[in-house]
Amino acid sequence: MERAFTLFLLTILLLLHYVMTQTNITTDQLATLSLKSQIISDPFHFLNESWTPAISVCRWVGVTCGSRHQRVKSLNLSNMALTGRIPRNFGNLTFLGSLDLGSNNFQGYLPQEMAYLHRLKFLDLSFNNFRGEIPSWFGFLHQLKVLNLGNNSFIGSIPSSFSNISTLETLNLNFNSIEGEIPEVIGSLINLRVLSLYGNNLIGSIPSSLSNASRLGALDLSRNLLQGNIPEGIGNLHKMKLLSIQHNKLTGSIPFTIFNISKIEVIAFTDNSLSGNLPNGLCNSLSILNGLYLSTNKLRGHIQRDKQYD
Ligand SMILES: *[C@@H]1O[C@H](CO)[C@@H](O)[C@H](O)[C@H]1NC(C)=O
Ligand SMILES: *[C@@H]1O[C@H](CO)[C@@H](O)[C@H](O)[C@H]1NC(C)=O
Ligand SMILES: *[C@@H]1O[C@H](CO)[C@@H](O)[C@H](O)[C@H]1NC(C)=O
Ligand SMILES: *[C@@H]1O[C@H](CO)[C@@H](O)[C@H](O)[C@H]1NC(C)=O
Ligand SMILES: *[C@@H]1O[C@H](CO)[C@@H](O)[C@H](O)[C@H]1NC(C)=O
Ligand SMILES: *[C@@H]1O[C@H](CO)[C@@H](O)[C@H](O)[C@H]1NC(C)=O
Ligand SMILES: *[C@@H]1O[C@H](CO)[C@@H](O)[C@H](O)[C@H]1NC(C)=O
Ligand SMILES: *[C@@H]1O[C@H](CO)[C@@H](O)[C@H](O)[C@H]1NC(C)=O
C-alpha cells in the first residue's frame, strides 16, 4: 500500500515536471524571434519581410519544420549578409537537426546554451566572425556529423571532449587562430572522413592515433607549426584521397607506405624539412595521382616527368 502511494506520488511529480518543462512550437517561435532581435543588419531584408509572429514560424524564410512534431528542425540562413549574434535562448530550439549560418557576419561568442541542441547533426558556422575559445560543450552534441567552424576568429586549443562526438564525419576548423597540439584522442573518431585544420597555429606532432581513423579520405593540416615525423600509420589509411601537410616544420622521411595508398589523388608536403630518398619507380604505383607537391624540402630521388609535380 505504502509502495503504491510512493509510486503514485512519483508519477505525479514526473508529470508535473513534464508539464513545467514542456516546450512547443511557441518556444521555437520565441527563440527564432529572439535571434531576429539580435540581428542588427539585414541589408537584403531576408528576415524582416517574413519573420513575423503573424505567420507560422514554419513558413518563415530559411525555416523548416518536421512533419511529425511540427517543431523547427532546420534553419538555413546561409549567405544572407546578416550581422548579429546568437542569443542564449537559441538553445531552446531543441528539435533542431541542422543549422547553417555560413557566410554571414555573425559575431561574438557561441552561447553555452547551444549545448542543449542535442539533435544537431549538421552545424555550419563558417565564414563569420565568431570568436572565443572553441567550446568544449560541442562534446555534448552526440549526433553531430558535420562541424564546420572555418574562417572565424576562434582561439584556444581543440578540446579533447571532441572525442565524445563519435558520429563526427567532417571536422573543419580552417583559418582560425587555434593553438596547442592536435589531441591524441582525435584518432578515436572512427567515422571521421574529412579533417581539415588548415591555417592555424597548431604545434606538436601529428598524432599517430590518426591511423585508427580508418575512414579518413581527406586530411589537410597545412599552414601550421607542426613538427616531428609523418606517422608511419598514415599509410594504412586506405580510403585517403587527399593528404596535404604543406608549410609546416615536419622532419624525417616520408613513409613509403603513403605512396602505396591505392586511392590517393593528391600528396602535398611542400615547404617542410623532410629528408631521405623517394622510392624508386614512385609514379608507377600511383596510377590515379594528379598532384604530387614535394618542393622546398631536402628530399632525394628521381621522378619521371610524365606526372605533374611541384
Ligand atoms: C505552448 O505551451 C504554453 C505553455 O507551456 C502554452 O501557453 C501555449 O498555448 C502552447 N502553445 C501551443 C501552440 O500549443
Ligand atoms: C525592412 O527593413 C527595411 C529597412 O530597415 C525597411 O525599409 C522595410 O520597409 C522593412 N520591411 C518590412 C516588411 O518591415
Ligand atoms: C542552405 O541554403 C544554401 C542556399 O540555398 C544551400 O546551398 C545550402 O546547401 C543549404 N544548407 C543546408 C545545410 O542545406
Ligand atoms: C528559453 O531559454 C531561456 C534562456 O536560456 C529560458 O530563460 C527560458 O525559460 C527558455 N524556455 C522557453 C520556453 O522559452
Ligand atoms: C565526454 O564524455 C565523458 C565520458 O563519457 C564525460 O565524462 C564528459 O562529461 C563528456 N564531456 C562532454 C563535453 O561531453
Ligand atoms: C578565409 O580566411 C583566410 C585567412 O584569413 C583568408 O585568406 C581568406 O580570404 C578567407 N576566405 C574568405 C572567403 O573570406
Ligand atoms: C588504435 O586503437 C586501439 C584500440 O582502441 C588502441 O589500442 C591503439 O593504441 C590505437 N592506436 C594508436 C596509434 O593510437
Ligand atoms: C607497395 O606495393 C607493392 C605492390 O603491391 C609492394 O611490392 C611493395 O612492397 C609495397 N611497398 C610498401 C612500402 O608497402
Side-chain angles (χ1 to χ4, degrees):
M1 185 63 202
E2 214 171 293
R3 226 175 122 238
F5 183 71
T6 314
L7 228 97
F8 170 77
L9 231 126
L10 258 172
T11 314
I12 292 284
L13 274 174
L14 274 173
L15 261 170
L16 211 69
H17 178 79
Y18 177 75
V19 169
M20 284 174 68
T21 58
Q22 198 188 15
T23 63
N24 56 27
I25 189 71
T26 311
T27 319
D28 293 1
Q29 174 161 329
L30 283 172
T32 33
L33 275 177
S34 135
L35 176 68
K36 183 187 174 186
S37 76
Q38 294 296 313
I39 288 173
I40 55 174
S41 171
D42 174 13
F44 301 104
H45 313 313
F46 280 113
L47 304 190
N48 72 344
E49 315 242 305
S50 94
W51 282 41
T52 117
I55 308 171
S56 157
V57 60
C58 294
R59 292 168 56 204
W60 295 0
V61 167
V63 175
T64 311
C65 290
S67 47
R68 195 149 58 99
H69 299 289
Q70 282 298 308
R71 299 291 298 269
V72 173
K73 73 163 187 193
S74 95
L75 188 57
N76 187 350
L77 305 179
S78 71
N79 209 10
M80 290 184 174
L82 304 173
T83 302
R85 285 165 191 273
I86 300 182
R88 289 179 55 178
N89 63 354
F90 195 77
N92 288 348
L93 288 172
T94 47
F95 280 74
L96 205 57
S98 171
L99 174 62
D100 191 346
L101 300 180
S103 301
N104 283 290
N105 189 24
F106 280 95
Q107 301 167 343
Y109 301 97
L110 299 178
Q112 195 166 352
E113 285 77 5
M114 285 179 76
Y116 299 137
L117 304 177
H118 63 280
R119 285 187 175 86
L120 267 188
K121 292 187 172 66
F122 180 99
L123 179 56
D124 188 344
L125 304 177
S126 63
F127 299 100
N128 279 288
N129 212 356
F130 288 114
R131 62 201 181 94
E133 307 237 341
I134 301 252
S136 63
W137 51 252
F138 278 125
F140 291 118
L141 306 178
H142 288 290
Q143 298 190 40
L144 208 53
K145 289 185 173 176
V146 175
L147 178 58
N148 188 349
L149 305 178
N151 275 67
N152 279 285
S153 302
F154 287 109
I155 58 167
S157 52
I158 302 173
S160 56
S161 66
F162 273 34
S163 65
N164 284 12
I165 323 171
S166 58
T167 48
L168 204 59
E169 294 175 5
T170 297
L171 177 59
N172 180 336
L173 305 177
N174 292 343
F175 288 122
N176 281 282
S177 298
I178 301 163
E179 306 163 334
E181 302 193 11
I182 303 171
E184 190 77 29
V185 288
I186 206 125
S188 62
L189 297 174
I190 53 161
N191 288 305
L192 209 56
R193 286 157 170 80
V194 176
L195 178 60
S196 210
L197 308 175
Y198 193 109
N200 283 287
N201 301 317
L202 295 165
I203 58 167
S205 51
I206 301 166
S208 58
S209 62
L210 272 181
S211 63
N212 272 347
S214 58
R215 296 191 171 131
L216 211 52
L219 177 63
D220 196 339
L221 306 176
S222 297
R223 292 199 186 273
N224 280 288
L225 306 164
L226 298 169
Q227 300 177 337
N229 296 356
I230 300 168
E232 201 63 52
I234 299 275
N236 300 332
L237 297 171
H238 296 296
K239 301 237 162 101
M240 190 74 84
K241 287 185 175 167
L242 180 142
L243 176 60
S244 180
I245 320 180
Q246 312 196 82
H247 310 289
N248 276 283
K249 301 196 275 183
L250 301 176
T251 50
S253 53
I254 302 174
F256 283 4
T257 48
I258 284 174
F259 300 109
N260 253 8
I261 301 173
S262 62
K263 290 200 163 72
I264 200 119
E265 291 171 17
V266 175
I267 298 174
F269 294 135
T270 301
D271 186 20
N272 280 285
S273 295
L274 296 165
S275 56
N277 290 312
L278 292 172
N280 292 328
L282 172 62
C283 294
N284 301 336
S285 54
L286 296 164
S287 51
I288 60 169
L289 192 75
N290 57 39
L292 178 60
Y293 306 93
L294 301 174
S295 75
T296 327
N297 279 292
K298 300 169 190 163
L299 296 162
R300 283 188 308 266
H302 295 283
I303 297 178
Q304 292 124 303
R305 280 181 174 267
D306 59 336
K307 293 278 176 184
Q308 180 197 346
Y309 70 96
D310 174 74

